[in-house]
Amino acid sequence: MCTYLTRDTEVAGSGLGADGWFSVGRAVVYFDHPQDAPVDHALCVDLVERGATARSAPKRMALELDATSARRLAETILAVLDSPEALELA
Amino acid sequence: MVEPNAAAPTEEHDVYDGILAETITITGHGGDDIEAYSARPLGPGPFPGVVVIHHMPGYDRATKEITRTFAVYGYSAICPNLFHRYAPGASPGDAAAAARAAGGAPDEQAMGDVAGAVQHLRRAPNANGKVGVIGYCSGGRQTYLAACTLDIDAAVDCYGGRVVATAEELSPAHPTAPIDLTAQMRAPLLGLFGADDRNPSPEHVARIRQELEAHGKTFELHSFEGAGHAFFSTDRPSYRVDAAKEGWKLIWAWFGQHLAEA
């Protein structure tokens, strides 16, 4: 099935693309058919360049993970962010 | 079961076996120029036409391969890039991502693009005047819409989800559940589904059958056991060789019957 399940959020930081680093401004997250990952449905994240306008091809960093990997990654990110050192510095 | 029309083209047709496949520009919705992939048999014709509607991952290598397969079987085929406007010249993946981020291609725009492809095929000097539409995944849903809203001669919906849709599943881009337009369907419809799919589920397929019967439409729906969504996709784990082979036979029979020269 196509889930059409898509959410997006503002982000700030940098992503490394084929042509070097670029500023990212938006994350589009979806669980649907991937382009390349060998699974029927993948947790996909597109980190899109800041200031990208509609009707153009923005730079993006793309990630397609199977659901288990994606959950593990999310938990790992949260664990790092929730560590005392990170909480103190964030 | 529909028997293949003896006059319809088949791979075994005893003619020169050659195709020309290339990127072209067609006039889509609103008069916009959009990218499309054309694959057509070489030879004088006349050939029927098929519009191939790509799946949610976009206008990709796999869909171009399907488009070429129609040409091998004697159909002039065009796959319009429904995501072209979102990222002109970008890779299929980038264009699909841009379209998704924008909320998806609106139905009205997609139907305008498919109508442009139909018109392009009908105008070809070696066309027989008949044009069918086939779509996969989200393209299956769009094919159902095309069968209800465009002037086409046959349609094949391959596991299109959200033909039956709840109010929560509708959006500004997809404001209508295609099943609600069934009364106005003009094209004979072949539906190919996987029994293990969740959308369209077997219950959804039963609803579609009920609606088509209620309105006296010409249709065939087939559900394949042991197959789920995207069983035609040879490059994905969902590929099911038995369902795909039987599905292709049904496609040739359906288009053979309904797109043959009058």
Side-chain angles (χ1 to χ4, degrees):
Chain A
M1 61 179 284
C2 298
T3 68
Y4 296 86
L5 183 60
T6 307
R7 295 192 183 179
D8 70 335
T9 185
E10 284 187 21
V11 295
S14 295
L16 181 58
D19 301 323
W21 289 97
F22 61 94
S23 295
V24 296
R26 188 180 180 204
V28 183
V29 181
Y30 47 103
F31 187 68
D32 214 330
H33 304 309
Q35 297 285 333
D36 190 69
V39 291
D40 293 332
H41 298 90
L43 189 288
C44 306
V45 181
D46 291 324
L47 294 171
V48 183
E49 67 176 317
R50 176 170 298 283
T53 56
R55 314 279 159 151
S56 67
K59 289 179 184 174
R60 66 171 179 137
M61 281 183 59
L63 192 64
E64 298 178 339
L65 298 173
D66 67 70
T68 303
S69 301
R71 194 172 290 280
R72 194 182 302 135
L73 174 63
E75 289 167 355
T76 304
I77 290 171
L78 289 176
V80 170
L81 288 173
D82 288 340
S83 65
E85 299 93 324
L87 285 172
E88 190 179 327
L89 296 171
Chain B
M1 175 67 71
V2 176
E3 294 301 324
N5 186 319
T10 70
E11 191 181 34
E12 295 78 26
H13 206 207
D14 185 22
V15 294
Y16 172 70
D17 185 2
I19 67 169
L20 173 64
E22 58 182 344
T23 305
I24 62 171
T25 299
I26 64 170
T27 304
H29 180 70
D32 294 345
D33 283 345
I34 64 164
E35 179 184 32
Y37 188 66
S38 162
R40 57 187 173 83
L42 298 178
F47 300 115
V50 171
V51 178
V52 179
I53 306 182
H54 58 71
H55 55 173
M56 185 83 90
Y59 169 84
D60 58 2
R61 183 201 59 74
T63 310
K64 289 181 175 179
E65 188 174 307
I66 288 170
T67 307
R68 287 193 296 273
T69 297
F70 280 101
V72 169
Y73 275 71
Y75 296 84
S76 294
I78 289 181
C79 175
N81 182 355
L82 302 184
F83 300 154
H84 173 79
R85 292 177 185 80
Y86 299 94
S91 71
D94 284 346
R100 178 182 289 273
D107 285 339
E108 184 184 2
Q109 177 182 292
M111 289 303 100
D113 290 349
V114 173
V118 170
Q119 193 173 48
H120 191 98
L121 287 165
R122 285 217 173 101
R123 281 181 177 167
N126 60 355
N128 80 348
K130 299 289 185 70
V131 177
V133 174
I134 186 169
Y136 303 80
C137 183
S138 55
R141 177 185 173 279
Q142 290 160 331
T143 295
Y144 200 100
L145 274 178
C148 296
T149 60
L150 302 182
D151 174 24
I152 58 174
D153 301 289
V156 182
D157 165 9
C158 300
Y159 35 79
R162 297 198 177 182
V163 169
V164 181
T166 64
E168 294 73 32
E169 290 172 334
L170 301 179
S171 67
H174 306 141
T176 307
I179 192 170
D180 292 340
L181 304 177
T182 303
Q184 65 193 65
M185 184 179 282
R186 287 181 281 180
L189 177 80
L190 172 66
L192 303 175
F193 307 101
D196 297 337
D197 202 346
R198 291 175 57 192
N199 199 336
S201 68
E203 292 73 27
H204 292 144
V205 175
R207 281 277 313 280
I208 294 168
R209 180 183 301 281
Q210 193 177 33
E211 197 72 5
L212 290 165
E213 282 174 349
H215 292 289
K217 301 302 177 184
T218 300
F219 73 97
E220 273 188 35
L221 304 183
H222 298 263
S223 291
F224 298 101
E225 296 296 329
H229 197 75
F231 59 80
F232 278 114
S233 294
T234 55
D235 59 342
R236 292 173 184 268
S238 54
Y239 180 57
R240 294 292 178 274
V241 61
D242 291 341
K245 286 177 73 174
E246 183 60 22
W248 275 115
K249 286 181 191 172
L250 291 165
I251 291 167
W252 303 134
W254 195 253
F255 280 161
Q257 179 186 21
H258 295 289
L259 301 184
E261 201 167 18

